[in-house]
Amino acid sequence: MEASTALSRIGLAGLAVMGQNLALNIADKGFPISVYNRTTSKVDETVDRAHQEGNLPLFGQYNPRDFVLSIQRPRSVIILVKAGAPVDQTIAALSDHLEPGDAIIDGGNEWYENTERRIQQVSDKGILYLGMGVSGGEEGARHGPSLMPGGSYQAYSNVQDILHKVAAQVEDGPCVTYIGEGGSGNFVKMVHNGIEYGDMQLISEAYDVLKNIGGLSNLELSEIFAEWNRGELESFLIEITADIFKVKDEHGDGELVDKILDKTGMKGTGKWTVQQAAELSVAAPTIAASLDCRYLSGLKEERECAANALKEAGLKEEVGSVKVGVDKKRLIDDVRQALYASKICSYAQGMNLLRAKSVEKGWNLNFGELARIWKGGCIIRAVFLDRIKKAYQRNPNLASLVVDPEFAKEMVQRQAAWRRVVGLAISAGISTPGMCASLSYFDTYRRSRLPANLVQAQRDLFGAHTYERVDRPGAFHTEWTKLARKSDAGVGAFN
């Protein structure tokens, strides 16, 4: 549309794909929006798209001042630029023209402490600030993402009607909620991405086992994943996986998936999740395993050399011998169950990390509500998130999803299949680090007594770290070496 004398309801700065699509989504829902980008061609491109996609009420602006002044007060400006320094530069450019009571909403994947620093920084000028996680990729941004806004509640209230319309819609409401104070929105999005890493790793392991032990073709895999997507595993990632196996290679024979180099990229949110888990002493082994696998996948040349070196050293491929006696139908069903049980453990780890951070920061996160807003729009959207929501509604202080009565029952029912898959993979020499990590997590968490008593004894021996006892209160220290020598002498005398 041409520049208008009427003021826009909201503004958006940063018109890469996500920014353009979110701006068009907002305009599509009937909210007049001003857009700005430092590179002016992006502004023209967005204005053209708005025209083509139905004469949407979107207005291009070409400098920060005109952009800010074209928005009605109290102004709300979404920024979607690369995390880090570009965000600070954009804030500096805009805040020269913003007034007290106006709000900045950062929609990027930002480190939560940067958001907390910026909240303080702009509050000196009376400007409100939100750090808002946006999930769903470019498709979600255009047609309905999952939104995780945290920071100023007033800033959220000012745009609540817009966010409710723009977000993905599920049967129990829009996929957006006010997350909490400070950088909570960014932190929740970061953990969402960590869970996403785990999900993708587990799916790739299911594929590896079915392909290499089950000997299934891409077409069969596509049908299996499509079938799984009609049951308990119904989710965006399972659905797109079924589609990926169907796509033919236009440059040669067979399917495209087989021609893709096995090196996985990453942006950093998975690494942040694992670092935060370590900082907070929360076990997140499935998410950590998925990150390790991405690192190892990057060592393509080294892995090829290792394959040759170990072959020369006499390592034999075991896949062939394991394959022989495999019952395909049973394997497919076992893998489905193993994938589901592993996934529950991965989500449990993510939720426990969120709880630990919420306690540390006093964010008072509502876990049932987080599961609800992830039911639509986002990359980890899945039917079983509704069950997670209900688990936290039944018990808001649930220690772990693993002990929710419903999920506990499912874990128990699936554990035999889960162990069969992991055992089979190990004997075939196929790595399933995510499934193994989930199973170890489950087995460690459910045991009332662990061999940690021996580790404590070792720590006390070499570092006098003391230990507690199971049968009496207090901290104890033992002169282990002296007593062991004495006992040796006693044994010698006895002999």
Side-chain angles (χ1 to χ4, degrees):
M1 284 200 175
E2 296 306 309
S4 147
T5 47
L7 295 177
S8 293
R9 175 64 209 282
I10 190 168
L12 189 146
L15 298 172
V17 178
M18 284 291 281
Q20 283 193 22
N21 281 1
L22 191 60
L24 290 161
N25 182 353
I26 292 168
D28 212 357
K29 299 298 184 294
F31 299 102
I33 182 169
S34 294
V35 297
Y36 166 71
N37 195 79
R38 233 171 37 174
T39 318
T40 55
S41 60
K42 289 283 185 196
V43 178
D44 295 334
E45 199 180 298
T46 312
V47 170
D48 283 348
R49 279 188 65 190
H51 188 66
Q52 285 158 18
E53 293 179 27
N55 279 332
L56 304 176
L58 181 144
F59 309 98
Q61 301 294 341
Y62 295 89
N63 63 62
R65 183 176 179 276
D66 290 352
F67 169 63
V68 169
L69 296 180
S70 70
I71 304 160
Q72 70 183 47
R73 297 188 58 196
R75 302 181 185 94
S76 299
V77 177
I78 299 172
I79 56 178
L80 268 166
V81 298
K82 206 163 173 266
V87 176
D88 291 306
Q89 288 153 10
T90 307
I91 291 170
L94 297 175
S95 52
D96 284 347
H97 311 289
L98 291 169
E99 296 169 76
D102 291 349
I104 293 172
I105 304 166
D106 175 18
N109 270 338
E110 188 54 275
W111 173 237
Y112 83 100
E113 288 181 326
N114 284 343
T115 294
E116 301 200 325
R117 167 176 62 79
R118 289 171 188 141
I119 288 173
Q120 287 309 116
Q121 209 177 302
V122 300
S123 71
D124 297 344
K125 295 186 171 179
I127 296 168
L128 312 175
Y129 198 90
L130 279 178
M132 180 171 74
V134 178
S135 180
E138 50 188 85
E139 185 67 17
R142 180 65 184 85
H143 299 290
S146 175
L147 301 171
M148 296 153 252
S152 158
Y153 186 74
Q154 184 57 55
Y156 172 73
S157 302
N158 293 352
V159 290
Q160 185 178 349
D161 59 332
I162 300 178
L163 300 182
H164 274 218
K165 284 261 172 48
V166 163
Q169 309 291 318
V170 289
E171 77 286 351
D172 46 7
C175 293
V176 59
T177 190
Y178 174 70
I179 302 290
E181 296 288 323
S184 59
N186 293 115
F187 195 91
V188 166
K189 173 61 166 50
M190 176 197 81
V191 174
H192 161 288
N193 286 22
I195 292 171
E196 182 184 307
Y197 272 53
D199 260 358
M200 293 167 80
Q201 176 62 30
L202 292 168
I203 291 169
S204 75
E205 291 172 18
Y207 155 63
D208 201 5
V209 169
L210 292 175
K211 180 185 177 180
N212 290 305
I213 299 179
L216 298 173
S217 69
N218 288 325
L219 209 60
E220 288 174 306
L221 286 164
S222 177
E223 284 166 9
I224 287 158
F225 275 86
E227 189 183 323
W228 286 356
N229 197 46
R230 292 191 283 274
E232 62 193 8
L233 285 167
E234 185 187 326
S235 60
F236 173 70
L237 285 169
I238 295 285
E239 179 189 339
I240 66 167
T241 303
D243 288 342
I244 286 167
F245 290 125
K246 282 186 208 163
V247 176
K248 298 273 180 226
D249 178 19
E250 54 185 22
H251 301 295
D253 294 338
E255 286 78 30
L256 179 57
V257 70
D258 295 326
K259 311 287 169 64
I260 294 175
L261 180 68
D262 50 324
K263 280 170 84 163
T264 307
M266 68 195 106
K267 292 277 178 66
T269 42
K271 181 173 79 176
W272 291 346
T273 306
V274 173
Q275 286 171 331
Q276 277 296 297
E279 290 275 328
L280 292 157
S281 306
V282 171
T286 314
I287 299 169
S290 69
L291 191 66
D292 288 340
C293 276
R294 292 197 182 196
Y295 296 149
L296 284 165
S297 79
L299 306 176
K300 176 69 171 173
E301 294 74 20
E302 274 184 51
R303 288 188 287 114
E304 287 174 331
C305 292
N308 290 329
L310 291 161
K311 197 174 182 178
E312 281 168 25
L315 183 71
K316 290 187 173 50
E317 283 290 347
E318 297 295 335
V319 175
S321 56
V322 171
K323 236 178 181 176
V324 176
V326 159
D327 173 342
K328 255 195 208 188
K329 204 166 180 292
R330 182 175 173 182
L331 178 67
I332 292 165
D333 197 56
D334 279 357
V335 170
R336 173 184 61 79
Q337 295 185 58
L339 179 54
Y340 185 76
S342 298
K343 198 173 148 109
I344 292 172
C345 286
S346 185
Y347 280 68
Q349 293 159 31
M351 288 303 197
N352 286 1
L353 173 53
L354 287 170
R355 188 182 51 223
K357 196 67 180 181
S358 182
V359 169
E360 183 199 66
K361 303 287 284 185
W363 283 338
N364 201 17
L365 297 179
N366 179 336
F367 308 111
E369 189 64 354
L370 296 184
R372 186 192 70 74
I373 67 166
W374 288 344
K375 278 167 56 179
C378 70
I379 303 300
I380 65 170
R381 62 183 180 266
V383 158
F384 103 132
L385 279 158
D386 193 54
R387 320 245 325 286
I388 294 179
K389 178 192 85 170
K390 287 176 177 150
Y392 283 108
Q393 283 175 341
R394 278 193 290 276
N395 178 7
N397 301 313
L398 185 65
S400 169
L401 286 174
V402 174
V403 295
D404 169 72
E406 296 285 314
F407 281 121
K409 218 177 291 171
E410 294 191 334
M411 303 288 278
V412 172
Q413 286 163 357
R414 285 160 181 74
Q415 65 159 345
W418 194 6
R419 292 180 200 286
R420 280 196 296 272
V421 171
V422 168
L424 198 62
I426 288 170
S427 59
I430 287 178
S431 59
T432 51
M435 286 187 184
C436 285
S438 281
L439 185 54
S440 297
Y441 178 80
F442 174 70
D443 281 338
T444 306
Y445 189 66
R446 71 181 176 81
R447 288 185 65 196
S448 57
R449 183 147 174 93
L450 292 168
N453 51 320
L454 178 60
V455 177
Q456 277 302 86
Q458 291 168 333
R459 293 178 72 240
D460 188 50
L461 184 150
F462 65 68
H465 290 297
T466 75
Y467 58 88
E468 292 175 273
R469 293 180 59 115
V470 292
D471 54 356
R472 60 189 62 178
F476 299 87
H477 170 59
T478 296
E479 297 288 341
W480 296 90
T481 309
K482 202 184 285 178
L483 292 173
R485 295 287 172 270
K486 202 187 265 181
S487 137
D488 280 349
V491 169
F494 184 72
N495 284 345

